[in-house]
Amino acid sequence: PKGGVVVRNKIYLDNDETDYIDNIETIEIKPGSKLKLEFSTPPTTLDNFFHKMTKIKSIDFSHFDSTEVKSMNGLFSGCNELESITFGDNFNTEKVTNMARLFYGCSSLTSVDLSKFNTELVTDMSSMFFYCSKLTEISLNTFKTTNLKITEEMFASCLTLKSLDLSNFDTSEVTAMGSMFSGCYELTSINLGNNFNTEKVTRMVSMFSNCVKLTSLDLSQFNTASVETMVSMLYGCSSLVTLDISNFDMTKIEEDGYTNIFGGVTKLEYINIYCVIKENFDFSST
């Protein structure tokens, strides 16, 4: 529903259940307002539902039945004043396939509890946390990602994110990882685990670009045989001291696909770079 349009359902503003609004077309959100939703018929999509509701501070889904929802693309995108989301026990995501841009631009969100999320059918998490600039940590240890295909910009511009544990992620079906961690300026450690499989990935453009506090990166498990472009993959990783890309296969990458891979990486003391490359591969362009 565009602009928060709700049909045959109820919206409670400021938790005042005696003053609900029914069958409305627009919602006027005042600064500091809280909002609770009740749907008479479970919706099948929540795409862009709160898109650019820039004044809302808190959303409560405690009584919300989401059992039929299949897509949440951009659900909270652009809610730059949103500070609190309560999902509750009834927030069911077992049928959801699309979580792209879910929290895109939620720049005031300091924490979010995703422990109840079922992500088994999700194929798209691109830009899911893009510019969640106040999230210092994101716990994803309950996520199941066997059907995940796109993670581009998933954590891009998470400016204060300090560490990230993706050890439970199964990325065997992922095809695109461009800018996945780009602009995570405070990120000091990434645990990719043993199931971070890149054998189907074709795009790694700017994947770690401007992760300026990363000092060590072990990518020896990466299978890059399908990768067609790595432009600026590690660009701006100015604190990187050790790097292992010992199993990189770059035979599918054309000359314009490896520009600035190591641009701005000036502090490297150790690099394991034994890899398969094209004939006449020019490292001066990387």
Side-chain angles (χ1 to χ4, degrees):
K2 184 178 180 181
V5 176
V6 179
V7 181
R8 296 185 302 280
N9 304 296
K10 298 177 182 178
I11 292 183
Y12 301 87
L13 288 175
D14 299 319
N15 291 332
D16 185 354
E17 298 191 13
T18 63
D19 188 26
Y20 65 82
I21 305 171
D22 195 9
N23 293 336
I24 61 174
E25 294 184 354
T26 59
I27 306 170
E28 181 184 358
I29 304 296
K30 297 178 181 179
S33 287
K34 296 181 179 180
L35 181 149
K36 183 172 75 175
L37 300 179
E38 289 187 8
F39 284 73
S40 55
T41 303
T44 58
T45 178
L46 290 174
D47 285 359
N48 297 311
F49 191 86
F50 299 108
H51 180 59
K52 289 188 177 179
M53 284 195 178
T54 58
K55 295 180 180 180
I56 194 166
K57 301 273 187 180
S58 175
I59 300 174
D60 184 356
F61 284 100
S62 297
H63 302 285
F64 173 68
D65 181 0
S66 62
T67 53
E68 297 304 317
V69 174
K70 296 179 181 178
S71 182
M72 295 180 177
N73 183 5
L75 175 56
F76 307 106
S77 63
C79 294
N80 59 358
E81 294 293 324
L82 185 60
E83 297 175 352
S84 172
I85 307 172
T86 302
F87 288 109
D89 294 333
N90 295 316
F91 197 81
N92 188 326
T93 63
E94 65 181 16
K95 293 184 180 180
V96 176
T97 61
N98 191 340
M99 289 187 178
R101 301 171 55 252
L102 183 58
F103 303 102
Y104 186 106
C106 291
S107 54
S108 295
L109 201 62
T110 57
S111 65
V112 59
D113 183 0
L114 305 175
S115 60
K116 301 290 179 64
F117 273 38
N118 182 331
T119 59
E120 291 188 42
L121 296 183
V122 178
T123 61
D124 191 349
M125 290 185 182
S126 59
S127 302
M128 186 173 180
F129 301 99
F130 186 97
Y131 199 61
C132 288
S133 56
K134 289 187 178 179
L135 282 181
T136 57
E137 61 180 0
I138 305 172
S139 179
L140 304 174
N141 56 11
T142 59
F143 275 30
K144 291 181 171 61
T145 59
T146 51
N147 286 298
L148 188 59
K149 289 180 170 58
I150 307 173
T151 61
E152 291 204 307
E153 295 186 334
M154 185 173 178
F155 306 100
S157 298
C158 285
L159 305 180
T160 58
L161 190 64
K162 296 183 182 300
S163 64
L164 198 53
D165 185 355
L166 302 181
S167 57
N168 63 304
F169 264 45
D170 179 346
T171 57
S172 55
E173 296 299 318
V174 175
T175 59
M177 292 182 175
S179 299
M180 187 173 179
F181 309 103
S182 176
C184 291
Y185 292 110
E186 295 295 320
L187 194 64
T188 58
S189 66
I190 307 175
N191 183 359
L192 298 178
N194 296 320
N195 295 316
F196 202 85
N197 186 325
T198 62
E199 65 181 24
K200 293 185 178 180
V201 176
T202 60
R203 285 176 52 81
M204 289 185 176
V205 173
S206 300
M207 188 173 177
F208 300 95
S209 66
N210 292 311
C211 289
V212 297
K213 289 195 175 180
L214 274 182
T215 59
S216 178
L217 200 53
D218 183 355
L219 306 180
S220 58
Q221 72 191 62
F222 274 34
N223 180 338
T224 60
S226 297
V227 176
E228 298 172 359
T229 176
M230 290 183 180
V231 171
S232 301
M233 182 181 180
L234 296 162
Y235 182 86
C237 291
S238 55
S239 297
L240 203 59
V241 175
T242 63
L243 174 65
D244 192 336
I245 55 171
S246 54
N247 290 311
F248 268 32
D249 183 336
M250 303 169 82
T251 52
K252 280 197 174 181
I253 301 178
E254 300 297 334
E255 184 174 353
D256 60 352
Y258 54 80
T259 305
N260 273 333
I261 293 178
F262 306 116
V265 182
T266 58
K267 292 185 178 180
L268 274 180
E269 295 179 1
Y270 173 80
I271 180 171
N272 189 344
I273 201 171
Y274 185 82
C275 55
V276 181
I277 58 177
K278 273 184 177 291
E279 186 178 358
N280 300 322
F281 188 96
D282 182 9
F283 265 104
S284 65
S285 298
T286 64

